């Protein structure tokens, strides 16, 4: 039971990190596009 919970936590943490990284990259790209337009 504990092993399964730990695995889910690790997978959830990695998924969360991936989402955060994608959001940061998206915001960076949008900012670059806005800067280029100006």
């Amino acid at each position: 039971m504990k092993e399964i919970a730990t695995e889910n936590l690790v997978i959830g943490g990695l998924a969360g990190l991936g989402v955060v990284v994608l959001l940061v990259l998206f915001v960076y790209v949008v900012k670059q596009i806005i800067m280029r337009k100006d």
Side-chain angles (χ1 to χ4, degrees):
M1 199 85 176
K2 262 190 177 180
E3 280 174 22
I4 292 162
T6 304
E7 268 181 35
N8 284 342
L9 272 173
V10 171
I11 290 161
L14 284 171
L17 272 172
V19 169
V20 169
V21 169
L22 280 172
L23 275 170
V24 171
L25 276 170
F26 179 75
V27 170
Y28 174 77
V29 169
V30 169
K31 277 185 179 179
Q32 289 291 103
I33 290 163
I34 290 163
M35 291 282 276
R36 279 179 194 167
K37 277 184 180 175
D38 292 342

